[in-house]
Amino acid sequence: MTATLPTAWRSVLPYLSEPLPPDRTPPGSGGSGVGVNLPMELVRQSVLPREYWTIPDEVIAAYRHFRPTPLWRATGFERAIDARVPIYMKYEGGNISGSHKLNTALAQAYYYKRAGVRELVTGTGAGQWGTAMAAACALFGLRCRVFMVESSLRRKPYRGVLMRMLGAEVHSSPSGLTEVSGQRSTPLGNSLSLAIGEAVEYARNHDGVAFCIGSGETYSILHQSVIGLEAQAQLTELDTQVDAVVGCVGAGSNFGGIALPFHAAAAAEGSTPPLLVAAESSTAPKLTRGVYAYDKTDATGTGPMEAMYTIGSDYPIPDAHSAGLRFHGAAKVVSALRHTGDVAAIAVGQPESLDAGRLLTLHEQVLPAPESGHALAAAARLATTGADGMRAGRGVLVCVSGHGYLDLGAYEQLLNGELGDEAPVEEALLSAVAGLSPVYGDRVPAAVAGGPA
């Protein structure tokens, strides 16, 4: 199906049952944390309860190169898993970045350019966001600098090559170029938190440079609403409905993009929304095993403390191929909806996610990113045996957030039977969240329990 390219983003903020908890200044900051130099329009998109935001003409023109993105019923995948209900795929991998990340990268580059910024700097895990930002900067005439998680860049060197082809400076994180990278131990060298921390520090110390981020921020999730808005129109064209919507979660932009427009539409109509399922990595299980607390968003700890489901920003997340999901916390919008019970979550291990990706490749001829494999595996559970008491009765919509052509090393390990998995142990999670302030209540729970607080 094709549908029409939306001309406005749709915000979920007017339809939250509780206001977002306010950010807090970090301890030891003297009451004034070092903020990110955001253009005012992005600030407004983050805080105002306006439902629709007009997409600028320049961003619409850029979107037209790859949007609307396709949606189809994955009958081959259904047969392979013996699904009881239809499964519909929304595919976001058909652009230069290979993922949904370009939706917000283009918008952010546009707003930063209008604000007079000359260079954007960011951190990236799997490299999709770094590639998207490099492409957007090239289009809008900005310099770009990317700090990429070292283990991911080592596995996927051609991500770095593509970013450099797009004009970006690329640094392996920990880079040694920043103070925060010199203070961190080797396990956090595999952390997106550290890569983001390096980018924050670099931007703070250079004139005309701004830090940008592409996943957990409210404005980023707003920009991603084009995914869900298109999907709603495409399902209407097919004269069908689903009762479960699934997306993978690192911090939350992909899941928020596909799922939250369904929440907003149902709230506006006074109807029951589909089951909104966030599929996360079992190596970073913030929504299923984390706590709802105030935590820092990066390794510097200089930005505001945000209310999030988290496993602790200093927790050394086990290495895995799904670098884009290896972030300690979930976006504050996604976390708030998880807390109120409007969002469900499923943790998926690495072998199961990559095997789901293998099945999609074989039966739908689409090679998904390992991150997207988590959403596929969760969708397969919902459409067959059920998961954690959840089953789809009419149909499942799943967002395949990106392609896996630069992740073939991971699939090679799967085919060779060499793929491992490592989930956090309870004691380590408890230790990582022990000093955090809960969003509600007097203390962080003594045990890490799955599900909303």
Side-chain angles (χ1 to χ4, degrees):
M1 301 304 296
T2 55
T4 302
L5 175 62
T7 57
W9 298 301
R10 189 174 193 177
S11 174
V12 75
L13 292 183
Y15 298 109
L16 299 180
S17 58
E18 298 177 359
L20 286 180
D23 293 349
R24 294 180 180 177
T25 53
S29 67
S32 58
V34 179
V36 176
N37 186 23
L38 279 179
M40 280 308 300
E41 188 67 2
L42 295 183
V43 174
R44 286 190 283 266
Q45 291 172 3
S46 296
V47 299
L48 295 182
R50 183 193 302 174
E51 185 171 5
Y52 290 102
W53 296 80
T54 300
I55 304 174
D57 290 342
E58 294 89 338
V59 178
I60 285 280
Y63 280 175
R64 290 195 190 281
H65 289 282
F66 62 98
R67 306 210 67 88
T69 60
L71 179 146
W72 71 94
R73 181 174 173 181
T75 54
F77 186 74
E78 291 172 17
R79 288 192 296 269
I81 65 171
D82 195 22
R84 299 175 299 101
V85 297
I87 299 176
Y88 297 91
M89 303 283 173
K90 179 68 168 166
Y91 182 58
E92 291 291 307
N95 62 65
I96 184 65
S97 75
S99 82
H100 71 292
K101 296 289 189 178
L102 195 55
N103 297 323
T104 185
L106 290 165
Q108 291 189 46
Y110 168 80
Y111 288 123
Y112 276 106
K113 178 68 178 289
R114 288 189 61 189
V117 171
R118 299 188 299 274
E119 178 180 341
L120 289 176
V121 58
T122 193
T124 189
Q128 295 171 338
W129 168 242
T131 307
M133 205 65 248
C137 285
L139 186 63
F140 285 102
L142 296 170
R143 299 193 306 273
C144 181
R145 186 176 303 271
V146 179
F147 291 87
M148 183 169 175
V149 174
E150 183 273 333
S151 61
S152 184
L153 184 58
R154 185 176 65 249
R155 287 196 187 103
K156 295 182 281 188
Y158 294 118
R159 272 285 174 197
V161 173
L162 180 53
M163 286 183 256
R164 289 166 55 203
M165 284 183 66
L166 289 164
E169 293 283 339
V170 182
H171 306 287
S172 175
S173 176
S175 67
L177 299 175
T178 62
E179 183 177 344
V180 68
S181 67
Q183 295 174 347
R184 295 287 162 167
S185 59
T186 301
L188 282 173
N190 292 324
S191 168
L192 180 55
S193 177
L194 177 57
I196 292 173
E198 291 209 71
V200 169
E201 180 184 326
Y202 185 92
R204 188 174 67 238
N205 294 333
H206 292 81
D207 293 334
V209 178
F211 167 74
C212 61
I213 192 166
S215 188
E217 296 307 309
T218 304
Y219 55 81
S220 178
I221 292 175
L222 171 70
H223 303 153
Q224 296 294 353
S225 67
V226 293
I227 305 173
L229 293 171
E230 285 181 8
Q232 289 171 328
Q234 289 165 323
L235 290 172
T236 298
E237 286 183 41
L238 291 171
D239 192 26
T240 192
Q241 294 180 323
V242 296
D243 56 0
V245 180
V246 185
C248 61
V249 172
S253 67
N254 158 67
F255 169 74
I258 189 70
L260 299 192
F262 285 86
H263 178 83
E269 298 164 1
S271 60
T272 301
L275 179 66
L276 308 180
V277 181
E280 64 183 3
S281 168
S282 60
T283 64
K286 53 265 186 176
L287 291 171
T288 54
R289 297 178 64 191
V291 296
Y292 194 29
Y294 278 95
D295 201 358
K296 55 192 178 184
T297 58
D298 66 86
T300 68
T302 56
M305 303 283 284
E306 295 187 359
M308 66 178 78
Y309 272 90
T310 178
I311 53 174
S313 56
D314 290 328
Y315 179 78
I317 298 171
D319 196 11
H321 287 288
S322 300
L325 305 189
R326 297 181 63 258
F327 190 62
H328 64 277
K332 53 188 173 184
V333 170
V334 173
S335 293
L337 289 165
R338 173 67 168 152
H339 177 73
T340 56
D342 295 299
V343 163
I346 295 174
V348 177
Q350 185 167 240
E352 182 184 3
S353 66
L354 285 171
D355 192 57
R358 179 188 64 82
L359 290 176
L360 193 75
T361 304
L362 182 62
H363 297 285
E364 297 291 333
Q365 298 193 345
V366 171
L367 175 65
E371 291 82 4
S372 301
H374 291 73
L376 291 166
R381 291 192 207 174
L382 293 168
T384 53
T385 59
D388 302 328
M390 299 178 285
R391 294 185 77 178
R394 289 186 299 182
V396 181
L397 170 65
V398 58
C399 185
V400 179
S401 59
H403 71 62
Y405 290 106
L406 295 173
D407 300 279
L408 288 171
Y411 285 107
E412 182 180 32
Q413 284 192 310
L414 174 73
L415 295 174
N416 293 342
E418 300 168 350
L419 197 64
D421 205 20
E422 182 181 352
V425 297
E426 189 78 0
E427 292 77 10
L429 290 180
L430 287 171
S431 176
V433 302
L436 300 180
S437 298
V439 178
Y440 302 107
D442 297 326
R443 62 185 178 85
V444 167
V448 179

